[in-house]
Amino acid sequence: MYNNKSLILLVFKIFLNPLIATFYFMSNNNSDPLHGVTLQKIMEHLVDYYGFDTLGKLITIKCFTTNPSIKSSLIFLRKTDWARKKVEDLYINSLR
């Protein structure tokens, strides 16, 4: 019914291939510190770490200084690339 070569290929396809794929995805470490981190998580971390007072001094953005909230900051940062870049850079620096 099966010769040795076809049996080995069958075993590989059924059992080993999913294991190899799982191992590859588990061992593939992404070096990007922003990988998988949402902007909301970044803002929550920065507000917990610095507070809005210090954030407003570090990055001069009106949504950090005038009636600050995470919701208003997220709305502004999603529309403004330069401000988002500054917030992401500050987040990366706070992790070190």
Side-chain angles (χ1 to χ4, degrees):
M1 183 167 156
Y2 291 108
N3 63 20
N4 286 341
K5 190 175 184 181
S6 63
L7 187 59
I8 291 170
L9 287 174
L10 181 66
V11 168
F12 179 77
K13 285 182 182 179
I14 294 173
F15 296 107
L16 296 179
N17 205 11
L19 291 174
I20 291 171
T22 303
F23 176 74
Y24 173 77
F25 287 114
M26 288 176 63
S27 66
N28 187 11
N29 294 332
N30 196 333
S31 62
D32 182 13
L34 297 175
H35 181 73
V37 182
T38 63
L39 187 57
Q40 182 171 354
K41 297 264 186 207
I42 291 172
M43 280 303 303
E44 289 170 354
H45 170 80
L46 291 176
V47 170
D48 289 343
Y49 192 79
Y50 293 110
F52 275 113
D53 293 335
T54 308
L55 272 176
K57 292 175 185 172
L58 294 172
I59 304 173
T60 309
I61 300 175
K62 195 172 186 178
C63 64
F64 290 166
T65 57
T66 306
N67 197 14
S69 72
I70 290 180
K71 183 178 178 181
S72 66
S73 300
L74 289 173
I75 291 169
F76 177 75
L77 293 172
R78 287 184 178 128
K79 294 178 183 178
T80 315
D81 290 335
W82 63 266
R84 181 180 182 136
K85 175 76 172 128
K86 287 186 176 190
V87 168
E88 289 173 347
D89 290 343
L90 183 62
Y91 173 75
I92 292 170
N93 287 334
S94 73
L95 295 177
R96 294 182 184 163

